Amino acid sequence: MDNEYLNKLFDLSGKIALVTGASSGLGRHFAAVLASAGAEVIITARRGDKLQELVEEIGPAGRQMHVVPMDVTSAASVTACFDQAASIVGVPDIIINNAGQAITKPLLEHSEADWDSVLNTNLKGAWFVASEAARRMVAVGKPGSIVNIASILGERVAGGVAPYAISKAGVLQATKAMALELARHKIRVNALMPGYVATDLNHDFLNSEAGEKLRMGIPGRCFGKLSDLDGPLLLLASDAGAAMSGSCLAVDHAHLVSSL
């Protein structure tokens, strides 16, 4: 097998990618990875100032980024974002459906507002974005890849994050439903399921006594790094995963298969 073929498998040159929730954490990292792989990237979030910081910080790859604000909980905002993106670079080939949130408190203390906030962002928002993207791809006859960022908590549970776990279970089922219906349009839909990945937001918890107890329950005895997700993300986004649709890919150091 020739090396040139293998090198091109993960190459995103000429592709347009859109990343939601790109102002921090996983989304910020994913945007940089896609740009480094050659894609032109539309980065979206409610906080436009944070997006501009990302463009400036990542250097040369930032020249391939376009900042477009979007609130995934608003259908009108999603439509407006895709309209603006189309006027800048065209219809995206790749969607990274990453925007999400969690509210941590015991089940009996969660309010209706908590439920609505989490489910509207994590599940309804992912549906809005994927549906709008797919309609536009179909309209111009463009194949594409939609990657929904789920979580291992879509298949297992943890205390204090019931709405989050429920929303991510919904994302996994939505991934399969969309994959089934969009396959005839050559649009692939898959889910990436990270385990516990160290970020600025959870650094304090993961380094606490409770975090250490959690780490020891993971068969690999470690938390993930952002870079652990690079290969799986590019597999699902690129031609390397051309035959994959409806897959839910766990990246978690075997946490999901553990009984703990």
Side-chain angles (χ1 to χ4, degrees), residues 92-106:
D93 306 270
I94 300 164
I95 303 297
I96 309 300
N97 231 338
N98 169 76
Q101 73 167 134
I103 296 174
T104 305
K105 61 173 71 169

Side-chain angles (χ1 to χ4, degrees), residues 159-172:
V161 289
Y164 178 83
I166 292 165
S167 71
K168 292 303 185 179
V171 168
L172 296 179

Side-chain angles (χ1 to χ4, degrees), residues 22-25 27-29 31-33 35-36 43 47-65 67 200 226:
S23 60
S24 63
R28 185 182 182 91
H29 181 75
V33 170
S36 296
I43 50 175
R47 297 179 294 174
D49 56 330
K50 294 291 185 181
L51 295 175
Q52 194 55 50
E53 286 177 16
L54 171 59
V55 173
E56 294 167 1
E57 284 178 16
I58 70 167
R63 290 197 297 270
Q64 297 168 255
M65 289 190 176
V67 173
D200 291 342
L226 287 171

